[in-house]
Amino acid sequence: MAVVAMWQCDRDGSMFEEKKQADAYDKMLELGEQFTAVLEKEISGIDEKSAEAFGLLLANNKDLIVQACKGKPEVLDELISPAKVTDIKDAKSA
């Protein structure tokens, strides 16, 4: 019987076969939490689920967001057609 090393994400318990993947996912969730906190603080009346979904959307697409902020807003067109991230579990597959 073979033994397979697995890494578990601290934030939600997701399991990964490679440490690099687990670390990247954990960092994405941390960034998403920070975006969520900013949204909840700055946008009165936003519900927690919506703030979390938008925070994860931003975190999952940070490279596109950076490109858009550097003068290429057209790259955000890529965000219009994909599936929505509405749950932390969905963020893993996005």
Side-chain angles (χ1 to χ4, degrees), residues 54-68:
F54 193 57
L56 288 173
L57 175 72
L58 293 173
N60 273 321
N61 296 285
K62 68 180 180 182
D63 294 333
L64 290 176
I65 303 300
V66 168
Q67 288 178 27

Side-chain angles (χ1 to χ4, degrees), residues 20-64:
K20 185 176 179 179
Q21 290 175 319
D23 288 342
Y25 181 69
D26 193 50
K27 286 181 183 183
M28 184 278 302
L29 289 180
E30 184 177 346
L31 181 59
E33 286 179 6
Q34 292 300 317
F35 280 136
T36 299
V38 169
L39 291 165
E40 289 176 330
K41 180 180 181 288
E42 296 296 325
I43 301 174
S44 63
I46 191 169
D47 64 279
E48 183 178 338
K49 187 173 182 173
S50 295
E52 183 177 335
F54 193 57
L56 288 173
L57 175 72
L58 293 173
N60 273 321
N61 296 285
K62 68 180 180 182
D63 294 333
L64 290 176

